[in-house]
Amino acid sequence: MAGNLLEVRNLKKYYSVKSGFLNKDCRSVKAVDGINLSVKQGEILGIVGESGCGKSTLGRSILRLIEPTSGEVIFEGTNICGLKKEEMRLKRREMQIVFQDPGASLNPRLTVGEIIGEPLEVFHICEGKEKEERIYKLMDLVGINRAYINRFPHEFSGGQRQRLGIARALAVNPKLIICDEPVSALDVSVRSQVLNLLKDLHKERNLTYIFISHDLSVVEYLCDKVAVMYLGRIMEYAGKRELYGKPLHPYTKALLSAIPVPDIHAKRDEVILQGELPSPLNPPTGCLFSTRCPMATDQCRQSRPELTEITGDDGTKRSVACFLYQ
Ligand code: ADP
Ligand code: MG
Protein backbone atom coordinates (compact mmCIF):
# COMPACT_ATOMS: atom_id res chain seq x y z
CA MET A 1 0.00 0.00 0.00
CA ALA A 2 1.24 3.49 -0.78
CA GLY A 3 2.32 5.79 2.01
CA ASN A 4 3.57 3.14 4.37
CA LEU A 5 6.90 3.80 6.00
CA LEU A 6 7.08 0.18 7.09
CA GLU A 7 5.37 -2.97 5.97
CA VAL A 8 5.87 -6.33 7.57
CA ARG A 9 4.81 -9.32 5.48
CA ASN A 10 4.34 -12.80 6.84
CA LEU A 11 7.22 -12.39 9.27
CA LYS A 12 8.24 -15.51 11.19
CA LYS A 13 10.81 -16.23 13.83
CA TYR A 14 11.06 -19.83 14.96
CA TYR A 15 13.49 -20.96 17.62
CA SER A 16 14.53 -24.55 17.96
CA VAL A 17 14.61 -25.55 21.57
CA LYS A 18 16.00 -28.73 23.02
CA SER A 19 13.92 -30.49 25.63
CA GLY A 20 13.09 -33.88 27.04
CA PHE A 21 15.46 -36.50 28.43
CA LEU A 22 19.10 -35.55 27.71
CA ASN A 23 17.80 -32.76 25.50
CA LYS A 24 17.05 -35.28 22.80
CA ASP A 25 13.83 -33.65 21.64
CA CYS A 26 14.27 -30.71 19.37
CA ARG A 27 11.10 -28.68 19.05
CA SER A 28 10.39 -25.33 17.60
CA VAL A 29 8.92 -22.32 19.33
CA LYS A 30 6.99 -20.16 16.92
CA ALA A 31 7.77 -16.92 18.72
CA VAL A 32 6.56 -14.86 15.76
CA ASP A 33 4.34 -16.77 13.37
CA GLY A 34 3.26 -14.98 10.23
CA ILE A 35 2.84 -11.33 11.24
CA ASN A 36 1.53 -8.73 8.77
CA LEU A 37 1.61 -5.06 9.76
CA SER A 38 1.92 -1.66 8.23
CA VAL A 39 2.85 1.70 9.69
CA LYS A 40 2.42 5.02 7.96
CA GLN A 41 4.85 7.87 8.39
CA GLY A 42 3.93 9.67 11.62
CA GLU A 43 1.76 6.88 12.95
CA ILE A 44 2.08 5.11 16.29
CA LEU A 45 1.32 1.42 16.16
CA GLY A 46 0.83 -0.34 19.48
CA ILE A 47 1.65 -4.01 20.00
CA VAL A 48 0.06 -5.56 23.07
CA GLY A 49 -0.24 -8.99 24.60
CA GLU A 50 0.80 -10.97 27.64
CA SER A 51 4.41 -11.58 28.46
CA GLY A 52 5.91 -14.24 26.20
CA CYS A 53 3.56 -13.68 23.26
CA GLY A 54 6.42 -12.62 20.99
CA LYS A 55 6.37 -8.80 21.15
CA SER A 56 10.10 -8.32 21.67
CA THR A 57 10.97 -11.00 19.14
CA LEU A 58 8.77 -9.20 16.63
CA GLY A 59 10.35 -5.81 17.37
CA ARG A 60 13.88 -7.15 17.09
CA SER A 61 13.13 -9.18 13.97
CA ILE A 62 11.81 -6.06 12.26
CA LEU A 63 15.17 -4.36 12.89
CA ARG A 64 17.04 -7.61 12.12
CA LEU A 65 18.69 -7.43 15.52
CA ILE A 66 17.64 -11.05 15.43
CA GLU A 67 17.46 -12.69 12.03
CA PRO A 68 13.87 -13.57 11.04
CA THR A 69 13.22 -17.15 9.89
CA SER A 70 11.23 -15.89 6.91
CA GLY A 71 9.11 -13.01 5.69
CA GLU A 72 9.69 -9.49 4.48
CA VAL A 73 10.27 -6.17 6.17
CA ILE A 74 9.74 -3.37 3.69
CA PHE A 75 11.13 -0.07 4.92
CA GLU A 76 10.62 2.88 2.55
CA GLY A 77 10.05 0.48 -0.30
CA THR A 78 13.14 -1.70 0.31
CA ASN A 79 12.97 -5.22 1.66
CA ILE A 80 15.63 -4.87 4.33
CA CYS A 81 15.75 -8.64 4.86
CA GLY A 82 17.64 -8.78 1.57
CA LEU A 83 20.28 -6.22 2.59
CA LYS A 84 23.90 -7.21 3.17
CA LYS A 85 25.53 -6.58 6.52
CA GLU A 86 27.03 -3.18 5.70
CA GLU A 87 23.90 -1.95 3.91
CA MET A 88 21.86 -3.05 6.92
CA ARG A 89 24.19 -1.26 9.29
CA LEU A 90 23.66 1.98 7.39
CA LYS A 91 19.89 1.41 7.33
CA ARG A 92 19.88 1.20 11.15
CA ARG A 93 20.41 4.92 11.20
CA GLU A 94 16.80 5.24 10.12
CA MET A 95 15.44 2.62 12.51
CA GLN A 96 16.27 2.75 16.20
CA ILE A 97 15.11 0.92 19.30
CA VAL A 98 14.51 1.92 22.91
CA PHE A 99 14.72 -1.03 25.29
CA GLN A 100 12.76 -1.89 28.40
CA ASP A 101 15.64 -1.98 30.83
CA PRO A 102 17.46 1.33 30.59
CA GLY A 103 20.11 0.06 33.02
CA ALA A 104 21.13 -2.97 31.00
CA SER A 105 20.98 -1.29 27.62
CA LEU A 106 23.48 1.47 28.45
CA ASN A 107 27.20 0.73 28.65
CA PRO A 108 28.09 1.33 32.33
CA ARG A 109 31.65 2.40 31.45
CA LEU A 110 30.62 5.26 29.20
CA THR A 111 29.63 8.75 30.28
CA VAL A 112 26.45 10.46 29.15
CA GLY A 113 28.41 12.36 26.51
CA GLU A 114 29.98 9.17 25.20
CA ILE A 115 26.71 7.26 25.18
CA ILE A 116 24.87 9.90 23.17
CA GLY A 117 27.95 10.70 21.08
CA GLU A 118 28.70 7.11 20.07
CA PRO A 119 26.08 6.80 17.32
CA LEU A 120 27.15 10.21 15.98
CA GLU A 121 30.66 8.83 15.54
CA VAL A 122 29.65 5.40 14.27
CA PHE A 123 27.63 6.97 11.49
CA HIS A 124 30.18 9.77 10.89
CA ILE A 125 27.52 12.39 11.49
CA CYS A 126 29.66 14.97 13.23
CA GLU A 127 32.68 15.40 15.45
CA GLY A 128 34.46 17.85 17.73
CA LYS A 129 32.63 21.01 18.72
CA GLU A 130 29.68 20.23 16.48
CA LYS A 131 29.25 16.84 18.13
CA GLU A 132 29.41 18.38 21.58
CA GLU A 133 26.77 20.93 20.68
CA ARG A 134 24.55 18.19 19.30
CA ILE A 135 24.96 16.12 22.47
CA TYR A 136 23.93 19.13 24.61
CA LYS A 137 20.89 19.73 22.40
CA LEU A 138 19.85 16.10 22.76
CA MET A 139 20.26 16.35 26.53
CA ASP A 140 18.04 19.43 26.53
CA LEU A 141 15.52 17.63 24.37
CA VAL A 142 15.07 14.71 26.76
CA GLY A 143 15.35 16.81 29.90
CA ILE A 144 18.80 15.89 31.26
CA ASN A 145 20.78 18.73 32.74
CA ARG A 146 23.81 19.67 30.61
CA ALA A 147 25.97 19.66 33.74
CA TYR A 148 25.66 15.85 33.87
CA ILE A 149 27.51 15.22 30.60
CA ASN A 150 30.43 13.48 32.34
CA ARG A 151 28.34 11.31 34.64
CA PHE A 152 27.90 7.56 34.32
CA PRO A 153 24.58 5.70 33.92
CA HIS A 154 24.62 4.35 37.50
CA GLU A 155 24.51 7.90 38.82
CA PHE A 156 21.02 8.34 37.38
CA SER A 157 17.55 7.16 38.34
CA GLY A 158 15.66 4.68 36.15
CA GLY A 159 13.60 7.42 34.56
CA GLN A 160 16.67 9.49 33.73
CA ARG A 161 18.44 6.46 32.31
CA GLN A 162 15.49 5.85 30.02
CA ARG A 163 15.73 9.50 28.93
CA LEU A 164 19.35 8.76 28.02
CA GLY A 165 18.27 5.70 26.04
CA ILE A 166 15.82 7.89 24.16
CA ALA A 167 18.48 10.55 23.50
CA ARG A 168 20.81 7.89 22.13
CA ALA A 169 18.09 6.59 19.82
CA LEU A 170 17.29 10.11 18.63
CA ALA A 171 20.92 11.12 18.04
CA VAL A 172 20.99 9.79 14.47
CA ASN A 173 17.64 11.36 13.51
CA PRO A 174 15.84 8.08 12.86
CA LYS A 175 12.53 7.86 11.05
CA LEU A 176 11.22 4.89 12.96
CA ILE A 177 11.69 4.08 16.64
CA ILE A 178 10.65 0.77 18.12
CA CYS A 179 9.92 1.27 21.80
CA ASP A 180 9.99 -2.10 23.56
CA GLU A 181 8.20 -1.66 26.90
CA PRO A 182 10.04 1.63 27.47
CA VAL A 183 8.26 2.45 30.72
CA SER A 184 7.53 -1.01 32.13
CA ALA A 185 10.64 -1.07 34.32
CA LEU A 186 10.04 2.42 35.70
CA ASP A 187 8.34 3.53 38.89
CA VAL A 188 4.74 4.50 38.33
CA SER A 189 5.55 8.07 39.36
CA VAL A 190 7.96 8.64 36.46
CA ARG A 191 6.16 6.54 33.85
CA SER A 192 3.87 9.31 32.69
CA GLN A 193 6.79 11.76 32.42
CA VAL A 194 8.65 9.44 30.06
CA LEU A 195 5.44 8.69 28.12
CA ASN A 196 4.78 12.39 27.74
CA LEU A 197 8.34 12.90 26.56
CA LEU A 198 7.85 10.22 23.88
CA LYS A 199 4.56 11.79 22.89
CA ASP A 200 6.06 15.29 22.61
CA LEU A 201 9.05 14.05 20.64
CA HIS A 202 6.77 12.19 18.27
CA LYS A 203 4.94 15.39 17.51
CA GLU A 204 7.91 17.75 17.35
CA ARG A 205 10.09 15.49 15.25
CA ASN A 206 7.42 13.86 13.10
CA LEU A 207 8.53 10.41 14.21
CA THR A 208 6.96 7.04 13.62
CA TYR A 209 6.77 4.59 16.52
CA ILE A 210 6.07 0.96 17.05
CA PHE A 211 5.18 0.93 20.71
CA ILE A 212 5.35 -2.45 22.45
CA SER A 213 3.70 -2.91 25.82
CA HIS A 214 1.80 -5.45 27.88
CA ASP A 215 -0.10 -2.52 29.40
CA LEU A 216 -3.23 -1.65 27.44
CA SER A 217 -3.79 1.68 29.12
CA VAL A 218 -0.34 2.90 28.11
CA VAL A 219 -1.01 1.85 24.53
CA GLU A 220 -4.39 3.61 24.56
CA TYR A 221 -2.73 6.81 25.65
CA LEU A 222 -0.14 6.82 22.90
CA CYS A 223 -1.16 4.81 19.86
CA ASP A 224 -3.24 5.34 16.72
CA LYS A 225 -3.79 1.68 16.03
CA VAL A 226 -3.16 -1.53 17.88
CA ALA A 227 -2.19 -5.13 17.13
CA VAL A 228 -3.16 -7.61 19.84
CA MET A 229 -0.77 -10.58 19.89
CA TYR A 230 -1.20 -14.04 21.33
CA LEU A 231 1.39 -16.84 21.02
CA GLY A 232 3.16 -15.26 18.09
CA ARG A 233 0.09 -14.27 16.08
CA ILE A 234 -2.16 -11.26 15.75
CA MET A 235 -5.65 -11.82 17.14
CA GLU A 236 -7.09 -8.38 16.46
CA TYR A 237 -5.74 -5.41 14.52
CA ALA A 238 -7.73 -2.22 14.69
CA GLY A 239 -7.75 1.53 15.10
CA LYS A 240 -7.51 2.64 18.72
CA ARG A 241 -11.04 3.98 18.89
CA GLU A 242 -12.55 0.82 17.45
CA LEU A 243 -10.46 -1.51 19.59
CA TYR A 244 -11.05 0.20 22.91
CA GLY A 245 -14.60 1.27 22.09
CA LYS A 246 -15.74 -2.14 20.92
CA PRO A 247 -13.25 -4.97 21.24
CA LEU A 248 -14.31 -7.97 19.17
CA HIS A 249 -11.89 -10.81 19.81
CA PRO A 250 -12.59 -12.59 23.11
CA TYR A 251 -8.89 -12.24 23.93
CA THR A 252 -8.99 -8.47 23.44
CA LYS A 253 -12.14 -8.36 25.59
CA ALA A 254 -10.36 -10.32 28.30
CA LEU A 255 -7.31 -8.05 28.25
CA LEU A 256 -9.52 -4.97 28.42
CA SER A 257 -11.63 -6.28 31.28
CA ALA A 258 -8.45 -6.72 33.27
CA ILE A 259 -7.85 -2.93 33.23
CA PRO A 260 -9.42 -1.33 36.28
CA VAL A 261 -12.22 1.08 35.35
CA PRO A 262 -12.49 4.23 37.50
CA ASP A 263 -16.29 4.32 37.17
CA ILE A 264 -17.76 1.32 38.97
CA HIS A 265 -21.03 1.71 37.06
CA ALA A 266 -19.31 1.51 33.68
CA LYS A 267 -20.56 -1.58 31.97
CA ARG A 268 -18.19 -3.67 30.00
CA ASP A 269 -18.51 -6.96 28.20
CA GLU A 270 -16.51 -8.87 30.76
CA VAL A 271 -14.44 -11.84 29.78
CA ILE A 272 -12.29 -13.06 32.62
CA LEU A 273 -9.05 -14.55 31.41
CA GLN A 274 -9.01 -18.13 32.64
CA GLY A 275 -6.09 -20.48 32.96
CA GLU A 276 -2.52 -19.91 31.96
CA LEU A 277 -0.86 -19.06 28.71
CA PRO A 278 -0.28 -22.43 26.98
CA SER A 279 3.34 -23.46 26.55
CA PRO A 280 4.67 -22.09 23.27
CA LEU A 281 6.35 -25.49 22.82
CA ASN A 282 2.97 -27.11 22.71
CA PRO A 283 0.41 -24.62 21.39
CA PRO A 284 -3.26 -25.59 20.94
CA THR A 285 -4.07 -27.12 17.55
CA GLY A 286 -7.03 -24.96 16.58
CA CYS A 287 -7.43 -21.34 17.57
CA LEU A 288 -4.47 -20.51 19.81
CA PHE A 289 -6.84 -18.90 22.32
CA SER A 290 -9.35 -21.78 22.33
CA THR A 291 -8.05 -23.31 25.58
CA ARG A 292 -8.90 -20.14 27.50
CA CYS A 293 -11.79 -18.77 25.51
CA PRO A 294 -15.28 -18.87 27.08
CA MET A 295 -16.85 -18.83 23.60
CA ALA A 296 -14.80 -21.67 22.13
CA THR A 297 -16.64 -24.32 20.12
CA ASP A 298 -15.49 -27.59 18.59
CA GLN A 299 -14.67 -25.72 15.40
CA CYS A 300 -12.31 -23.44 17.35
CA ARG A 301 -10.55 -26.42 18.91
CA GLN A 302 -10.07 -28.11 15.55
CA SER A 303 -9.14 -25.39 13.08
CA ARG A 304 -7.42 -22.07 13.29
CA PRO A 305 -9.22 -18.90 12.17
CA GLU A 306 -7.23 -16.60 9.87
CA LEU A 307 -6.90 -12.90 10.56
CA THR A 308 -9.74 -11.56 8.40
CA GLU A 309 -10.77 -8.02 7.57
CA ILE A 310 -14.29 -7.09 8.56
CA THR A 311 -16.31 -3.90 8.19
CA GLY A 312 -18.27 -2.60 11.19
CA ASP A 313 -21.79 -1.11 11.08
CA ASP A 314 -20.19 2.33 11.03
CA GLY A 315 -18.03 1.49 8.02
CA THR A 316 -14.75 1.15 9.95
CA LYS A 317 -12.46 -1.71 9.01
CA ARG A 318 -10.46 -3.95 11.26
CA SER A 319 -9.06 -7.47 11.26
CA VAL A 320 -10.01 -10.24 13.65
CA ALA A 321 -8.89 -13.86 13.86
CA CYS A 322 -12.02 -15.43 15.33
CA PHE A 323 -14.76 -17.71 13.92
CA LEU A 324 -17.40 -15.56 15.67
CA TYR A 325 -16.84 -12.95 12.98
CA GLN A 326 -16.38 -15.09 9.88
P1 ADP B 1 7.39 -10.88 24.89
O1 ADP B 1 8.34 -9.80 24.51
O2 ADP B 1 6.02 -10.70 24.35
O3 ADP B 1 7.35 -11.11 26.37
P2 ADP B 1 9.33 -12.63 23.63
O4 ADP B 1 9.40 -12.13 22.24
O5 ADP B 1 10.41 -12.22 24.55
O6 ADP B 1 7.91 -12.26 24.24
O7 ADP B 1 9.27 -14.23 23.59
C1 ADP B 1 8.37 -14.94 22.77
C2 ADP B 1 8.59 -16.43 22.92
O8 ADP B 1 9.82 -16.81 22.33
C3 ADP B 1 8.63 -16.91 24.36
O9 ADP B 1 8.00 -18.15 24.44
C4 ADP B 1 10.12 -17.04 24.61
O10 ADP B 1 10.37 -18.02 25.58
C5 ADP B 1 10.63 -17.46 23.25
N1 ADP B 1 12.02 -17.04 23.02
C6 ADP B 1 12.47 -15.75 22.99
N2 ADP B 1 13.79 -15.72 22.72
C7 ADP B 1 14.18 -17.01 22.58
C8 ADP B 1 15.45 -17.65 22.29
N3 ADP B 1 16.56 -16.94 22.08
N4 ADP B 1 15.46 -19.01 22.23
C9 ADP B 1 14.33 -19.72 22.42
N5 ADP B 1 13.12 -19.20 22.69
C10 ADP B 1 13.05 -17.86 22.77
MG1 MG C 1 9.38 -8.43 25.71
Side-chain angles (χ1 to χ4, degrees):
M1 220 167 65
N4 285 330
L5 180 69
L6 179 84
E7 252 184 83
V8 172
R9 294 190 193 146
N10 204 13
L11 196 68
K12 296 183 182 173
K13 178 66 193 181
Y14 294 177
Y15 290 109
S16 39
V17 181
K18 294 202 166 73
S19 64
F21 183 61
L22 296 177
N23 283 338
K24 274 190 180 149
D25 280 355
C26 196
R27 284 199 276 181
S28 98
V29 170
K30 297 177 173 176
V32 169
D33 192 17
I35 298 286
N36 292 288
L37 295 170
S38 63
V39 197
K40 289 196 178 69
Q41 155 67 41
E43 236 177 4
I44 306 185
L45 165 69
I47 303 206
V48 293
E50 288 163 281
S51 172
C53 72
K55 304 181 296 296
S56 296
T57 306
L58 174 62
R60 283 161 210 221
S61 302
I62 291 174
L63 297 185
R64 286 183 66 198
L65 295 173
I66 48 183
E67 211 48 62
T69 305
S70 65
E72 292 179 15
V73 176
I74 321 273
F75 183 76
E76 295 189 305
T78 307
N79 179 12
I80 62 162
C81 295
L83 294 183
K84 299 203 181 72
K85 219 173 166 185
E86 178 60 14
E87 295 169 321
M88 189 60 221
R89 195 185 70 81
L90 293 173
K91 210 36 145 194
R92 289 246 167 73
R93 200 181 145 172
E94 321 268 324
M95 324 166 79
Q96 290 285 307
I97 185 162
V98 173
F99 294 103
Q100 167 168 5
D101 184 349
S105 62
L106 301 173
N107 187 334
R109 286 181 207 88
L110 299 185
T111 63
V112 169
E114 289 164 340
I115 288 170
I116 306 177
E118 196 178 37
L120 296 174
E121 272 171 38
V122 169
F123 290 105
H124 307 293
I125 295 171
C126 51
E127 50 191 352
K129 199 86 203 124
E130 197 189 336
K131 186 176 96 179
E132 189 182 285
E133 196 44 43
R134 187 126 162 196
I135 293 170
Y136 280 134
K137 288 229 174 81
L138 284 158
M139 292 176 74
D140 297 344
L141 195 65
V142 298
I144 300 237
N145 193 321
R146 288 184 175 208
Y148 298 163
I149 190 158
N150 291 318
R151 293 204 181 177
F152 291 92
H154 71 262
E155 298 176 74
F156 292 94
S157 68
Q160 284 172 316
R161 279 201 289 256
Q162 196 53 294
R163 287 171 192 272
L164 276 176
I166 295 169
R168 182 182 57 180
L170 283 173
V172 291
N173 265 328
K175 292 182 180 147
L176 173 75
I177 302 185
I178 296 188
C179 305
D180 187 358
E181 307 254 14
V183 298
S184 304
L186 304 180
D187 286 345
V188 176
S189 56
V190 295
R191 255 181 220 179
S192 52
Q193 295 170 13
V194 173
L195 283 177
N196 284 330
L197 172 66
L198 285 168
K199 198 169 193 172
D200 292 346
L201 289 169
H202 169 258
K203 207 161 137 197
E204 282 164 27
R205 304 204 138 206
N206 195 21
L207 290 165
T208 307
Y209 291 159
I210 293 182
F211 191 90
I212 296 172
S213 178
H214 67 276
D215 183 337
L216 274 98
S217 42
V218 166
V219 167
E220 182 176 19
Y221 175 69
L222 221 62
C223 302
D224 303 307
K225 59 183 186 187
V226 184
V228 179
M229 274 183 83
Y230 191 75
L231 290 176
R233 288 177 158 248
I234 296 180
M235 295 286 135
E236 185 162 2
Y237 186 42
K240 173 171 80 178
R241 207 170 308 139
E242 290 77 44
L243 191 99
Y244 287 83
K246 193 169 190 279
L248 293 185
H249 199 289
Y251 181 57
T252 317
K253 287 183 184 171
L255 285 178
L256 281 172
S257 17
I259 305 181
V261 194
D263 175 5
I264 53 160
H265 301 294
K267 192 90 188 99
R268 220 194 243 155
D269 241 0
E270 282 225 345
V271 178
I272 305 297
L273 207 45
Q274 319 158 337
E276 300 216 345
L277 197 65
S279 159
L281 277 169
N282 193 15
T285 1
C287 171
L288 291 168
F289 189 55
S290 60
T291 53
R292 298 165 86 190
C293 181
M295 321 289 281
T297 62
D298 285 342
Q299 183 190 22
C300 307
R301 284 180 276 269
Q302 281 149 19
S303 47
R304 191 168 292 170
E306 288 295 321
L307 190 63
T308 310
E309 188 174 83
I310 58 168
T311 309
D313 304 333
D314 55 356
T316 54
K317 290 194 184 341
R318 74 169 96 187
S319 301
V320 192
C322 178
F323 287 126
L324 288 173
Y325 307 97
Q326 288 177 13

